[in-house]
Amino acid sequence: MSHRLAVRVQPGASADRIEGRGTDDAGRIFLKVRVRARPEDGAANAAVEAVVAKALGLPKSAVKVVTGGKNRIKGLQIDGPPDVAGVIEGWLADERGSD
């Protein structure tokens, strides 16, 4: 099963980690991801794929940046079982409980 996820990437961070939900000025929801890699030669994109795959318990090959390759906001395609959707929804849930 294929899943889509929008992420906002901060390259050059002190650690690789998923930060949680974010919302842009237009109200679009995304997942904030920090990676140590610099945005050079696709290194940050590869790091994002690896961080998200590891957090979902999937192989690195299951997560691909499919849009926004040179932008901070990227679209990911994730190939995994149906229960991955629940994990993604949990990451994007409104922490205040109003969603």
Side-chain angles (χ1 to χ4, degrees):
M1 180 172 209
S2 185
H3 310 275
R4 295 293 292 240
L5 175 63
V7 297
R8 183 179 187 281
V9 179
Q10 180 182 339
S14 61
D16 294 338
R17 65 179 176 267
I18 293 175
E19 288 281 299
R21 171 190 160 134
T23 307
D24 69 9
D25 293 339
R28 292 176 293 221
I29 297 169
F30 54 82
L31 183 67
K32 297 184 281 185
V33 179
R34 294 177 185 254
V35 294
R36 289 177 287 202
R38 298 308 229 167
E40 298 167 352
D41 300 321
N45 289 345
V48 168
E49 292 168 351
V51 167
V52 172
K54 182 176 180 181
L56 292 170
L58 299 172
K60 287 188 249 185
S61 61
V63 179
K64 294 289 178 212
V65 172
V66 293
T67 62
K70 294 188 182 270
N71 300 318
R72 284 191 184 230
I73 300 285
K74 301 176 186 305
L76 302 181
Q77 178 176 319
I78 303 165
D79 295 322
D83 62 331
V84 166
V87 176
I88 293 170
E89 287 173 13
W91 286 343
L92 299 177
D94 188 345
E95 294 162 359
R96 298 166 296 183
S98 62
D99 267 355

